[in-house]
Amino acid sequence: MLSMTQFAKEESDDFAAIGQNPPDDSHLATSASAPPREGYATGNDAQRPVIRASNVDFFYGNAQALFDVSMDVPRNRVVALIGPSGCGKSTFLRCLNRMTDLIDGVRVNGSIQLDGEEINRPDLDVIELRRRVGMIFQRYNPFPKSIFENVVYGLRISGVRDRRALEEACERSLRGAALWDEVKDRLKESAFELSGGQQQRLCIARATAVNPEVVLMDEPCSALDPRSTARIEKLIGELRNKYTIVIVTHNMQQASRVSDFTGFLYEGRLVEFGVTQTLFTKPIEKETEDYITGRFG
Amino acid sequence: MDNSNKQVVSSNFVGRGEPQVWATGTALSIILLIAVVLILVVALNGLGYFWPSNLAQFNLADGSSVIGEIHGEEVAKRSGTDRVQLKIGNRDLYGLDFRWFDRSDIEETSFPENAIALERIEYGNFYGFLKHTDAPGVELDQDDTRDAFELAWKDIKDQQETLAAMDGEIRHINYELKRARSKRHKREYAEGITTRTENPQSPDEIDAKARLDAVASEKDETVARLAVNVAVFTDAAGTEKEIRLMDIERVTRPNAMSISEKVFHYLDKLVELFLGEPRESNTEGGLFPAIFGTVMLVFLMSLFSFPFGIIAGVYLREYAKQGILVRTVRIAVNNLAGVPSIVYGIFGLGFFIYGIGGAIDRVFFTEQLPTPTFGSGGILWASLTLGLLTVPVVIVATEEALGTIPQGIREGSLSLGATKFQTLVRVLLPMASPGILTGFILAMARAAGEVAPLMITGVVKLAPSLPIDGQFPYIHAERKFMHLGFHIYDVGFQSPNVEAAKPMVFVTALLLVLLVLVMSSVAIFMRNRMKKRFSVSDF
């Protein structure tokens, strides 16, 4: 069994390997024993949570998938959601931009607020919400269009016609997704010509082209090889400066490498939520410890 | 040692699944073979038809002689005699086109250089020899019989062009007259006059009628002037036959023709096939109206069936709540594709023609009644019927094509703030287009080959005018039309002279196959381009 100290050491090694320092959370330091929300509930705007979920219950028909989940996502931080398969982490993620609407017969109780605005209101403009909360999927899903058209898709559908604006946005987001140098000479080529990792980064560029506040990532690296995974993880570290990121991952090392905060979900409940390093080194709950040490899951 | 080796090989052969591979391969080859044989039979029988074959003269044992094209040969099993079938033509002289001769009765076969084959407007071909030309209407300064005939005939043909122009004018004025008359009828009907008279009354009608009479009499004069120009021919037995030059379509002397002349003649006939009007109850001449009718029918059908099919398929797959109702609809649609086409024909007759067409007539063409305008078969109703027939194919294809698009693509688009409709138009439909086009191809091929429903919804043996012409309103969707598929049936099985019509059946069949092939190729070409652009990468 891996001891906690070993684990923490490895984790920082990994950060070094991909040229990224472990997140510095000294200014946000919260004790593991206190619920993290109290650390940000008051304070200046930069520290006010972007997303505040309170007491969220979620039902697929009669089956309940989430039980009373409450979580605050702080601005410009990376929040990782971990947990065994079927624990509801993807469901929770999809609640945050109402992608759950695509499924028939689902129901949400509780409140999810984006910048203080309730997103489960029936009269909410879902289109606008999804523009503010972008999403990256497990399986990279570029459209069968050129690289350029893929990146500017979000702008085009929101009615941007100006060629210069589109080109600028394309370059900006491709640079932001660390893809510009690789594709700048073949923007007209099909997105399918790219490798898997490049396609996923293209999807990230596509999501960030519309300037969202929050980027949701649903296991973004699970279909990629280790090299591409490392690039994406590095990218997440860079994106953190501009966006708030919520990432679902199966891979605990990845969670510890990329995230500032981690939530552990188990059987539809948020068992524990806290600063990543603390959660991985000194988990409060027994279930969390069992999971991160590999006793189950 | 040898034996055991063999056993290993044979067990491997079975064990590797070789017999199954062979069975599937055999099944495929048999199917390919059938398809190839079908095309070959049709092509060989059809394509040879236009080749000017040599004219054989048989001197028979009883002293008589005949001339014609050798058409077939057979050995009668029982008597053991060898028989030759000769196309002797000259239907006006002999009454029949084809005769069988026993080989033993033929004393001598020769191919006289000066034998002449005439393609006539009526009575089929004439085979014989030219005797002399009597063309007072043509000024000639030569004495040589053959050249005089050719020149006189060509001259008459040129003059006949004016006749064609007059025919066009007559049609045009007739149409004007008809419109003027129906306008008057409409007015009279509005005024409460119920007795209808066909005699011209309004100034427009009287004017048109006068012009019509003028052109008609001019035409009669021209015909009379041309008709005195004749040539006298003799058949192989020496019987004389006087034929008006204007009745002769084509003159050939196949026995004296070089290969290049024959090729030229062949191409000339092909051009006539594609661009000419049919003659001789469709057994001769061209197929243009039938080709035009078929293409237009398929085109109109596509206009109805493709948009509706795609919209319905999109609704079923993307918008409808998947439940028992949608499942029922889906099963119904699938079954609809299997309903016999004649049933659609009956439905088209009852619903479109009598129902909708009748209603249109009652509302808009009251003054014409009881003569139907839209209330009888026409290309519009036929294509609507075919549209109904093919719409399930398009629905199923659209649904399947949308179904193969990964859910992730939809989510990707929606997560960027696209509406469902934007996702559909910008991403899903382009991606589904190759699959949808496959449905189009199937639907088009089916529509082009369907005959049964057309027979009761407006196809005719001979349509006097095309559904599109230069007369206002240019597209006459209520008109009856000709169709290649029906042409095959009509020429092959309804014609008085079946033997003479046989080659035309093959030619028409070949043309229909080619037409379907061309239309499908266009669609396949488009599909491949779409596929290249929109296919989803695979792992």
Side-chain angles (χ1 to χ4, degrees):
Chain A
M1 202 190 81
L2 203 65
S3 80
M4 284 300 114
T5 47
Q6 270 176 324
F7 190 80
K9 184 175 176 296
E10 260 190 25
E11 170 198 336
S12 53
D13 283 346
D14 278 340
F15 270 108
I18 57 172
Q20 173 74 33
N21 292 322
D24 176 14
D25 286 306
S26 49
H27 63 289
L28 302 159
T30 41
S31 76
S33 53
R37 178 180 297 172
E38 285 166 18
Y40 320 100
T42 55
N44 62 29
D45 191 58
Q47 289 183 344
R48 212 182 67 192
V50 180
I51 291 174
R52 163 166 286 186
S54 354
N55 312 101
V56 175
D57 295 323
F58 188 86
F59 301 86
Y60 290 105
N62 290 326
Q64 190 165 1
L66 292 178
F67 298 86
D68 195 30
V69 174
S70 298
M71 183 188 294
D72 282 357
V73 178
R75 192 174 296 277
N76 289 12
R77 289 288 171 271
V78 179
V79 173
L81 299 177
I82 58 169
S85 295
C87 70
K89 51 193 192 302
S90 283
T91 303
F92 180 71
L93 194 73
R94 278 159 187 258
C95 285
L96 300 183
N97 67 348
R98 290 207 18 204
M99 287 299 277
T100 45
D101 289 8
L102 304 186
I103 310 157
D104 285 333
V106 298
R107 190 157 52 84
V108 195
N109 291 341
S111 139
I112 301 174
Q113 288 181 346
L114 176 69
D115 288 333
E117 197 184 344
E118 176 59 46
I119 69 166
N120 280 328
R121 274 189 299 129
D123 61 331
L124 178 98
D125 183 0
V126 181
I127 305 301
E128 183 55 34
L129 169 70
R130 289 184 189 148
R131 252 168 228 160
R132 289 169 63 189
V133 184
M135 190 161 187
I136 311 294
F137 298 85
Q138 179 173 5
R139 177 81 175 89
Y140 41 87
N141 53 359
F143 304 132
K145 296 171 182 281
S146 68
I147 293 169
F148 176 79
E149 285 301 328
N150 259 285
V151 177
V152 302
Y153 181 84
L155 295 170
R156 274 206 196 281
I157 54 173
S158 55
V160 179
R161 289 258 168 72
D162 180 27
R163 185 84 198 164
R164 276 192 67 86
L166 292 176
E167 276 166 6
E168 278 167 17
C170 174
E171 181 175 344
R172 180 169 37 76
S173 351
L174 282 173
R175 279 192 195 282
L179 195 59
W180 175 252
D181 291 334
E182 291 159 60
V183 301
K184 65 181 174 205
D185 299 326
R186 44 190 190 131
L187 293 175
K188 293 275 167 286
E189 280 174 36
S190 166
F192 296 150
E193 308 279 314
L194 301 175
S195 72
Q198 287 175 322
Q199 290 193 27
Q200 188 63 296
R201 274 181 283 148
L202 180 68
C203 291
I204 293 173
R206 188 175 68 182
T208 53
V210 290
N211 258 323
E213 291 168 50
V214 182
V215 178
L216 309 176
M217 297 187 173
D218 191 356
E219 300 188 36
C221 302
S222 65
L224 301 179
D225 59 275
R227 225 181 125 81
S228 306
T229 303
R231 293 214 60 158
I232 301 269
E233 285 178 8
K234 182 174 172 223
L235 181 58
I236 291 170
E238 290 161 10
L239 290 172
R240 177 164 147 257
N241 301 324
K242 289 181 76 179
Y243 311 101
T244 307
I245 295 170
V246 183
I247 176 170
V248 161
T249 176
H250 252 110
N251 180 330
M252 281 175 283
Q253 284 90 332
Q254 183 174 62
S256 66
R257 282 194 298 263
V258 301
S259 69
D260 305 319
F261 296 90
T262 299
F264 169 62
L265 279 96
Y266 182 59
E267 290 184 345
R269 287 169 219 282
L270 183 62
V271 175
E272 190 169 349
F273 184 75
V275 174
T276 299
Q277 258 181 332
T278 321
L279 187 130
F280 276 101
T281 48
K282 293 187 223 80
I284 304 162
E285 304 291 335
K286 175 83 171 59
E287 279 163 330
T288 315
E289 187 179 347
D290 288 349
Y291 182 70
I292 59 177
T293 51
R295 277 198 203 111
F296 78 99
Chain B
M1 189 69 180
D2 232 350
N3 204 12
S4 71
N5 248 349
K6 237 179 217 165
Q7 260 182 347
V8 168
V9 169
S10 79
S11 85
N12 269 352
F13 180 77
V14 176
R16 280 199 309 265
E18 293 285 327
Q20 289 91 321
V21 176
W22 280 90
T24 49
T26 314
L28 178 67
S29 341
I30 289 172
I31 286 163
L32 284 181
L33 197 70
I34 291 171
V36 168
V37 166
L38 178 115
I39 300 288
L40 274 184
V41 165
V42 173
L44 289 180
N45 277 293
L47 290 176
Y49 176 49
F50 299 126
W51 190 254
S53 45
N54 286 345
L55 295 179
Q57 182 169 2
F58 292 165
N59 292 328
L60 300 174
D62 60 3
S64 66
S65 61
V66 287
I67 191 164
E69 293 174 24
I70 295 176
H71 208 254
E73 249 174 284
E74 68 172 32
V75 179
K77 276 265 168 63
R78 198 177 303 172
S79 57
T81 49
D82 213 356
R83 299 201 304 164
V84 186
Q85 192 188 31
L86 200 64
K87 183 180 180 187
I88 53 174
N90 308 7
R91 206 184 306 148
D92 41 348
L93 290 181
Y94 309 145
L96 38 81
D97 287 287
F98 294 87
R99 258 178 78 185
W100 287 99
F101 297 97
D102 283 352
R103 278 261 185 232
S104 54
D105 289 343
I106 302 168
E107 293 204 320
E108 193 199 347
T109 307
S110 60
F111 296 91
E113 284 274 300
N114 59 345
I116 198 165
L118 304 178
E119 217 177 90
R120 297 181 293 179
I121 288 174
E122 281 177 313
Y123 300 119
N125 288 1
F126 179 91
Y127 302 116
F129 304 95
L130 175 65
K131 204 160 177 221
H132 62 85
T133 316
D134 180 13
V138 184
E139 279 176 34
L140 295 169
D141 43 29
Q142 279 160 307
D143 294 314
D144 177 50
T145 20
R146 177 184 297 182
D147 280 344
F149 167 72
E150 294 261 327
L151 291 170
W153 174 68
K154 286 209 171 103
D155 193 82
I156 295 292
K157 279 285 132 187
D158 287 344
Q159 294 189 36
Q160 259 182 291
E161 305 271 309
T162 58
L163 276 184
M166 282 179 210
D167 278 338
E169 213 176 324
I170 288 174
R171 258 205 307 275
H172 189 71
I173 299 173
N174 246 327
Y175 188 73
E176 277 180 34
L177 185 62
K178 213 179 116 197
R179 279 170 64 91
R181 186 184 297 146
S182 70
K183 220 160 143 189
R184 173 170 57 83
H185 283 162
K186 204 166 196 166
R187 205 181 52 233
E188 286 173 355
Y189 185 83
E191 288 165 4
I193 305 168
T194 47
T195 49
R196 289 207 313 190
T197 145
E198 301 298 317
N199 293 333
Q201 299 203 330
S202 67
D204 279 354
E205 280 175 86
I206 291 164
D207 171 56
K209 184 81 173 91
R211 278 186 294 143
L212 187 68
D213 290 343
V215 179
S217 67
E218 193 189 339
K219 187 191 166 192
D220 287 345
E221 266 169 43
T222 316
V223 169
R225 188 157 49 80
L226 293 178
V228 299
N229 301 293
V230 297
V232 178
F233 297 88
T234 57
D235 73 349
T239 317
E240 285 195 4
K241 172 74 189 167
E242 194 183 86
I243 298 171
R244 298 195 296 185
L245 292 182
M246 58 184 289
D247 289 342
I248 300 170
E249 273 289 300
R250 252 193 206 85
V251 182
T252 46
R253 292 185 177 80
N255 296 351
M257 278 166 98
S258 66
I259 289 291
S260 59
E261 281 171 327
K262 285 190 172 183
V263 169
F264 187 77
H265 178 261
Y266 186 85
L267 295 178
D268 186 42
K269 291 280 282 186
L270 272 190
V271 171
E272 191 198 7
L273 178 77
F274 284 111
L275 300 178
E277 304 270 330
R279 286 181 281 118
E280 290 267 342
S281 69
N282 295 351
T283 60
E284 297 274 339
L287 291 171
F288 179 69
I291 297 172
F292 188 89
T294 312
V295 172
M296 186 169 166
L297 182 76
V298 171
F299 184 74
L300 279 181
M301 179 282 296
S302 317
L303 284 188
F304 299 127
S305 102
F306 294 172
F308 286 113
I310 292 173
I311 290 169
V314 164
Y315 182 80
L316 280 180
R317 176 65 67 177
E318 298 293 326
Y319 288 99
K321 203 172 162 191
Q322 304 296 317
I324 187 112
L325 184 67
V326 165
R327 228 175 308 142
T328 316
V329 169
R330 201 168 280 145
I331 292 169
V333 165
N334 279 316
N335 281 323
L336 222 51
V339 171
S341 54
I342 190 75
V343 176
Y344 282 98
I346 302 286
F347 175 79
L349 180 72
F351 181 72
F352 290 130
I353 298 180
Y354 294 159
I356 298 181
I360 291 175
D361 276 0
R362 278 194 297 282
V363 176
F364 297 104
F365 301 95
T366 335
E367 73 286 351
Q368 306 263 12
L369 288 173
T371 315
T373 308
F374 277 92
S376 79
I379 194 160
L380 175 69
W381 304 134
S383 43
L384 271 175
T385 309
L386 283 189
L388 267 186
L389 181 99
T390 51
V391 95
V393 180
V394 181
I395 293 179
V396 171
T398 307
E399 265 210 273
E400 303 270 311
L402 287 171
T404 56
I405 299 176
Q407 191 61 23
I409 295 280
R410 287 182 186 84
E411 290 178 344
S413 174
L414 292 172
S415 73
L416 287 164
T419 61
K420 225 166 169 178
F421 185 71
Q422 283 172 325
T423 305
L424 186 71
V425 171
R426 286 172 184 258
V427 181
L428 299 183
L429 281 183
M431 284 181 84
S433 54
I436 297 175
L437 274 172
T438 306
F440 284 8
I441 295 166
L442 290 174
M444 264 183 356
R446 179 153 188 214
E450 208 56 77
V451 178
L454 303 182
M455 289 168 73
I456 43 180
T457 52
V459 87
V460 283
K461 182 187 173 73
L462 190 68
S465 41
L466 296 173
I468 294 182
D469 62 18
Q471 281 152 2
F472 184 80
Y474 311 117
I475 296 173
H476 308 272
E478 81 286 358
R479 279 193 187 158
K480 301 209 183 311
F481 63 102
M482 292 172 70
H483 184 266
L484 284 172
F486 180 72
H487 208 82
I488 295 173
Y489 169 74
D490 175 64
V491 172
F493 307 100
Q494 304 287 295
S495 133
N497 194 356
V498 173
E499 193 69 34
K502 216 162 70 183
M504 205 58 178
V505 173
F506 284 112
V507 170
T508 315
L510 186 66
L511 213 57
L512 184 57
V513 172
L514 283 180
L515 194 72
V516 171
L517 199 71
V518 167
M519 289 193 293
S520 308
S521 305
V522 172
I524 288 170
F525 174 74
M526 279 166 61
R527 179 179 65 182
N528 290 348
R529 285 190 53 172
M530 300 277 186
K531 250 191 197 151
K532 252 186 222 145
R533 277 184 62 190
F534 298 122
S535 65
V536 185
S537 69
D538 25 35
F539 246 106

